[in-house]
Amino acid sequence: MHLQETSKLTPKIIARADHNISRSQISENALKVLYRLKNAGYAAYLVGGGVRDLLLGREPKDFDVATDARPEQIHALFRNCRIIGRRFRLAHVQFGREIIEVATFRAAHSAPVEQDPGHDNHGRILIDNTYGTLEQDAFRRDFTVNALYYDIRDFSVADYVGGVEDLGTGTLRLIGEPYTRYREDPVRMLRAVRFAAKLGFRMHADTSAPITALAPLLDDIPAARMFEEILKLFLYGFGLQAFESLRHFGLFGRLFPRTDAILNTEEQGFPHTFIAEALAGTDARVNAGKPVTPAFLFAALLWQPVRQRAMELETQGLHSGDAVRQAVDEVLPGQIKQVALPRRFSTPMIEIYQLQPRFTQREGKRPQRLMAHPRFRAAYDFLVLRAAAGELDPELAHWWTEIQTGDAAGLASPPAPHAGRRRRRKRRGRRATAPPT
Ligand code: ATP
Ligand code: MG
């Protein structure tokens, strides 16, 4: 689409009285940014997920701002501001823990792909810093529901792409020609899955049609960006839905090829149950406001290939602990080419795996020692998951549950020659079983 030619579109304007967004729902910091830009004479809009979620009556995850001020001009207005990004330069204005992302209006690239240094030869956008007008900015966004602009001057919402109607019907629709838009940035396929799952929306037929054929384009996306997208897919309370959808579109195999291969050979069997249980559990934790970690998530997503390989190695005579370690060493290098996994997450992930064989050792002081391990809690949760999915005897997980909650198995009670000593021991035991903070 040649946007220069279509840039005289009139948007649909939804006046303040005709929508449900009130300033009290917008973070104070976002309002500060919007007003300071406006007072300096710039256009300033709230855009993206913030506007979308407020119009849906949901609580936004974060607030993004769009403006006609250039990054340097934004930088000059805010002391607490950093310019980030190469492919896409934008300003981060930081207020304590909250970051307001401020992006300058951009135009899509309109030159033919072959002559344009901003695209690679698959049509992927490599540089995206061509500044533009508000209209152009609307058309270069991904989905119609993500391209609504809340104007801080009069509190109206501007809609160039039919996003308000799509919000009303629960439709996720890519802006522009879908094949082109996915080729420009294949991550939009993951975003389509994510927003459909998160919002409970149906993808428009034109938006879903290209995905399966274009899924292989994800192989060229930098592994670090893929890692970020995976967290957004699986750690926000709709992971199970996202997983089923990724599988449906043939996207999951681009993220976790070895896990996907196992799922494909045992469609209805245990591996599928295991991952579904893991994601359902993670979703339940997120929705109850409990913390979740990428280490546990990746432990669950990579367990099938690791476990399968470890079992093979065990039949070749390796000790169970060593087999798990070697299986990880074989599975991880190929996996992190697709999706990065920072060491601060892979290290605890490996510990969760390595502690698993120790749960079968219940004699003497071994349970106490295992419970004192800093990774015990996560490893225990993983054991419970394996039991729930039918991988091992539920009795084993039950035993470990009991032993933490009391002296059910009689294991925690020491010989106790006199009361004072007994009390001390008990206290120490209890401390060791408390979940790590
Ligand atoms: P979330 O609720 O997850 O924050 P979001 O819609 O705000 O959802 P962000 O990733 O924060 O998503 O991006 C902010 C906005 O930037 C999007 O709403 C969209 O308008 C635009 N955008 C982000 N990524 C892309 C992309 N890959 N292609 C086109 N537009 C994009
Ligand atoms: Mg956002």
Side-chain angles (χ1 to χ4, degrees):
M1 195 194 306
H2 290 254
L3 290 169
Q4 271 80 350
E5 292 157 22
T6 57
S7 66
K8 283 285 163 277
L9 285 171
T10 39
K12 186 173 169 199
I13 303 289
I14 300 97
R16 176 190 197 169
D18 300 324
H19 64 70
N20 64 329
I21 299 180
S22 94
R23 266 165 295 163
S24 64
Q25 299 164 297
I26 302 171
S27 95
E28 270 178 40
N29 297 324
L31 287 172
K32 250 185 245 170
V33 171
L34 289 165
Y35 279 120
R36 188 167 309 173
L37 285 164
K38 175 180 117 87
N39 293 338
Y42 298 112
Y45 297 85
L46 200 64
V47 67
V51 180
R52 177 195 69 217
D53 291 349
L54 287 176
L55 286 171
L56 285 171
R58 301 170 66 114
E59 198 190 323
K61 183 159 72 65
D62 49 39
F63 292 94
D64 302 306
V65 168
T67 177
D68 59 359
R70 299 292 163 94
E72 317 77 61
Q73 295 171 318
I74 302 165
H75 192 258
L77 280 181
F78 299 95
R79 249 186 324 116
N80 45 337
C81 172
R82 282 194 317 139
I83 306 295
I84 62 143
R86 263 159 53 91
R87 193 181 73 88
F88 200 110
R89 283 182 77 218
L90 37 83
H92 272 179
V93 187
Q94 181 127 24
F95 300 88
R97 290 168 52 125
E98 190 179 13
I99 291 176
I100 306 297
E101 211 167 88
V102 186
T104 307
F105 295 148
R106 279 181 178 70
H109 286 255
S110 57
V113 165
E114 315 83 64
Q115 299 158 22
D116 183 348
H119 289 83
D120 73 1
N121 52 13
H122 298 293
R124 185 152 65 100
I125 293 181
L126 301 177
I127 310 163
D128 195 9
N129 284 320
T130 315
Y131 300 121
T133 61
L134 171 59
E135 305 76 317
Q136 289 172 326
D137 192 72
F139 282 96
R140 65 95 191 161
R141 289 183 182 268
D142 48 7
F143 303 98
T144 61
V145 297
N146 284 350
L148 299 169
Y149 294 77
Y150 174 83
D151 190 339
I152 199 63
R153 281 173 307 189
D154 61 3
F155 318 117
S156 64
V157 172
D159 178 8
Y160 288 88
V161 293
V164 170
E165 194 183 328
D166 284 341
L167 274 182
T169 58
T171 307
L172 191 72
R173 186 195 313 256
L174 202 57
I175 298 168
E177 203 288 302
Y179 282 87
T180 311
R181 299 305 312 280
Y182 286 134
R183 280 207 185 87
E184 282 175 1
D185 182 5
V187 169
R188 288 175 186 148
M189 295 187 275
L190 300 180
R191 292 175 61 87
V193 165
R194 167 152 69 95
F195 293 123
K198 168 178 166 150
L199 305 171
F201 277 24
R202 213 174 29 81
M203 280 187 214
H204 187 276
D206 295 345
T207 296
S208 57
I211 296 182
T212 302
L214 297 184
L217 294 179
L218 282 176
D219 295 356
D220 295 333
I221 300 300
R225 187 168 177 215
M226 294 292 271
F227 173 71
E228 297 299 325
E229 288 302 320
I230 289 199
L231 301 189
K232 291 182 196 168
L233 281 161
F234 292 123
L235 293 185
Y236 287 87
F238 48 84
L240 180 54
Q241 179 64 42
F243 167 69
E244 300 294 2
S245 176
L246 290 170
R247 288 272 298 152
H248 169 79
F249 286 112
L251 292 166
F252 189 73
R254 300 292 156 184
L255 312 179
F256 297 95
R258 293 180 71 146
T259 307
D260 194 62
I262 294 173
L263 289 168
N264 288 337
T265 55
E266 294 180 61
E267 189 60 54
Q268 296 307 321
F270 160 74
H272 188 276
T273 310
F274 178 84
I275 293 178
E277 288 277 347
L279 294 173
T282 302
D283 289 345
R285 284 185 68 91
V286 172
N287 294 322
K290 294 184 191 164
V292 288
T293 76
F296 193 88
L297 173 72
F298 276 78
L301 289 169
L302 297 176
W303 178 237
Q304 296 312 318
V306 167
R307 171 174 167 267
Q308 232 178 47
R309 185 65 189 131
M311 287 194 313
E312 285 166 18
L313 291 166
E314 272 186 63
T315 60
Q316 292 165 22
L318 246 70
H319 204 271
S320 53
D322 299 338
V324 164
R325 178 74 227 197
Q326 186 172 326
V328 170
D329 286 346
E330 289 178 26
V331 169
L332 213 51
Q335 173 61 35
I336 60 179
K337 279 191 207 140
Q338 306 292 126
V339 179
L341 182 59
R343 223 170 267 280
R344 67 182 184 281
F345 302 125
S346 65
T347 302
M349 177 189 86
I350 293 167
E351 281 179 324
I352 289 171
Y353 288 161
Q354 285 191 306
L355 291 180
Q356 295 306 307
R358 287 178 57 184
F359 282 100
T360 56
Q361 301 164 4
R362 292 187 260 176
E363 52 308 312
K365 288 256 168 277
R366 288 180 170 196
Q368 251 83 14
R369 258 184 273 147
L370 184 52
M371 286 192 283
H373 193 286
R375 205 64 64 195
F376 171 78
R377 186 69 210 189
Y380 160 77
D381 286 342
F382 201 75
L383 179 85
V384 170
L385 173 62
R386 293 170 65 207
E391 184 190 321
L392 42 79
D393 188 348
E395 187 276 328
L396 183 64
H398 184 69
W399 189 89
W400 284 95
T401 307
E402 291 285 296
I403 192 146
Q404 291 174 79
T405 49
D407 38 16
L411 247 163
S413 41
H418 59 81
R421 191 163 154 220
R422 182 184 178 130
R423 229 184 354 253
R424 261 206 317 279
R425 281 213 181 197
K426 256 190 143 169
R427 230 180 278 134
R428 203 187 307 146
R430 211 177 296 141
R431 205 182 310 136
T433 61
T437 47

